[in-house]
Each structure stands twice: as structure tokens, then as C-alpha cells.
Amino acid sequence: MLDATTRSGGTATATPRATATELAVAVPAPELAVPAPVGLAARCTRVLFSPWSRLSLLIALLAGAASAVLLFEPQRLLADGWPPQFGGAAAALVFAVAYGLCTVAFVPRPLLNLGAGALFGSQLGVGSAIAGTVLGAGLAFGLGRILGQDALRPLLRGRWLKAADGQLSRHGFRSMLAARLFPGVPFWAANYCAAVSRMGYVPFLVATTLGSIPNTAAYVVAGARASAPTSPAFLIAMACIALPALAGAMVAWRKRHHLRGVR
């Protein structure tokens, strides 16, 4: 093997060692194309999980819950009393669960609050009713958010709907707190409107808990003292029910021009 220059001073052609591995050029192997899953199973999956299918499931669940309430008639508890095998804290816990399920099925909360007071008295009744309120609100919000939001948000085109959605999305906590403190908006309507909006889950539950305490306690005390309608406790409870309702009506009256201006 000769060097690039010989000892005699002459030049020689360079003969670099070129091996087969040095000359070889790595050619990337073509990626295998994975065909998109097509077929009956994929189409059925898309249909089942589409927004309108989920909304249909939500409507079916709510219709079934309302039918169950009409069938079992929970209002009979006010006349017949609580089953004798339940008593104390266990009965209050069972009532709280039933309370939450009934609110999801559109049973008016004032009736349930009066029932809690009549069955368990003021203290235990307030705790059971508040627990049922938060449970029912959380269930309704979760169902509405998972099953109804994607289908219903594109339908928010009216000025009243846009106003409610914007208020709940931008000022969720204080809007829900006001809705719970001042009666006027049905409990179930506030739950599902909040679920369709962009309001967070935690602010919704905290506002519901804090805002529901005064009104719920007033109804429970009224139910517990219904046998003595002239007692101070009953009269104060009725005043606590009437005054927030009047204040809510006045606020709605003052806000009517703002709502009319929403396009």
C-alpha cells in the first residue's frame, strides 16, 4: 500500500479504504399503513357516543326517574311516616339519598324540605335535606355535563339562553349562589343550565351548598313546626321563605332591561 506521497517525492493516487459498510446508505423501510377502522362496529360506536345519542340517553333516564316517582309516590311519607325499621341517623341518611334522587327526577325541593322537617325535626332534618340537595345537584350536573352539553351548546341561540349561558360561564360561582339564595329559578333548571354552560364542577357544588342552607333550613323548620302555625319558630321560618322570594323578584325586575338588550 502506497502513501499519498512516495519517498522519491512522486505522487501516487490515494487509495482510501472504502468498505461495503461505509458505502452503504441506510434506506428507511417504508412504514406499514394501518387502515382506519371501518365497518359496522366502528359506525355503531360513533352513533352510540354521538352527542345526540347521549342526549337521548339523558332524556330516557330522566323520564324513567320521573315515572318511578309517580309510581312509588314518595309524598305518601308525609302522611304515613317513615318505615319503622329505620330510625335516627340511618333513616336520615336513607332520606338524603332518596332526596337527591327525587330532585334529579324533578320533584320540587320545598315538598322534600317540608317532609324532612316533619319526619326528623329541625336539626336532623336540615342536615339530611342539605346532604340530599348537594347529592341531587351533583348528580344532575354530572349527567347534564356528560350526556347533554355537546348536543345542547350549539342550540344556545336565543337572547335569554345566551344571557344565562354567558353569566354562568363567566361568573359561575356568584351566579349560582344568587340562584340558590333567591328562589325563582327551579332547582332542576339551574342544575342543567349550569351543566350545559362552562361552569366548573367545584364552584357549582360550593355555591349550591352555601346558597341552599338558608332556604332549606327555613322550609325544614316550617315542616317541623307545622303543627303549631302560630309559634314564633314557624312564623320566622315563613318570613325567611317569603323575604328572599320577594328580593329575587325585585332583582329580576331590575335586570329585565339588561336581559332584553342581549342579542
Side-chain angles (χ1 to χ4, degrees):
M1 178 73 186
L2 295 176
D3 298 334
T5 56
T6 59
R7 292 183 179 179
S8 58
T11 61
T13 58
T15 58
R17 296 182 177 180
T19 62
T21 57
E22 293 174 347
L23 295 177
V25 178
V27 179
E31 296 181 357
L32 297 177
V34 179
V38 293
L40 180 61
R43 289 195 296 269
C44 291
T45 301
R46 287 196 297 269
V47 170
L48 288 175
F49 289 95
S50 65
W52 287 104
S53 295
R54 284 180 284 158
L55 179 61
S56 301
L57 177 60
L58 175 62
I59 294 173
L61 289 175
L62 296 179
S67 301
V69 167
L70 295 176
L71 179 63
F72 291 105
E73 299 180 355
Q75 66 273 14
R76 289 183 300 178
L77 292 174
L78 297 178
D80 302 337
W82 196 251
Q85 58 269 26
F86 291 106
L93 179 61
V94 173
F95 183 85
V97 175
Y99 185 115
L101 297 177
C102 287
T103 57
V104 176
F106 311 114
V107 176
R109 284 182 62 248
L111 294 178
L112 298 172
N113 293 332
L114 291 172
L119 293 173
F120 306 109
S122 299
Q123 296 181 355
L124 194 58
V126 169
S128 179
I130 292 296
T133 296
V134 177
L135 175 62
L139 288 175
F141 186 90
L143 288 173
R145 177 61 55 89
I146 296 172
L147 299 178
Q149 186 186 45
D150 292 339
L152 293 178
R153 280 204 65 82
L155 303 180
L156 300 178
R157 297 175 182 175
R159 63 184 184 182
W160 286 87
L161 294 176
K162 286 183 178 179
D165 176 67
Q167 189 70 18
L168 289 171
S169 297
R170 293 191 298 269
H171 312 290
F173 178 81
R174 71 183 188 188
S175 299
M176 187 54 56
L177 184 65
R180 302 307 193 193
L181 285 173
F182 303 108
V185 180
F187 184 75
W188 62 268
N191 293 337
Y192 292 111
C193 286
V196 175
S197 73
R198 294 186 174 90
M199 183 179 182
Y201 195 82
V202 174
F204 170 79
L205 288 181
V206 175
T208 296
T209 303
L210 297 178
S212 299
I213 291 176
N215 187 262
T216 301
Y219 272 101
V220 171
V221 172
R225 301 301 179 91
S227 59
T230 58
S231 63
F234 181 84
L235 296 177
I236 292 174
M238 294 304 296
C240 292
I241 294 173
L243 290 178
L246 181 61
M250 293 178 61
V251 171
W253 178 259
R254 294 183 59 184
K255 293 290 185 180
R256 71 190 189 282
H257 298 297
H258 173 71
L259 294 175
R260 287 177 181 175
V262 177
R263 293 291 183 265

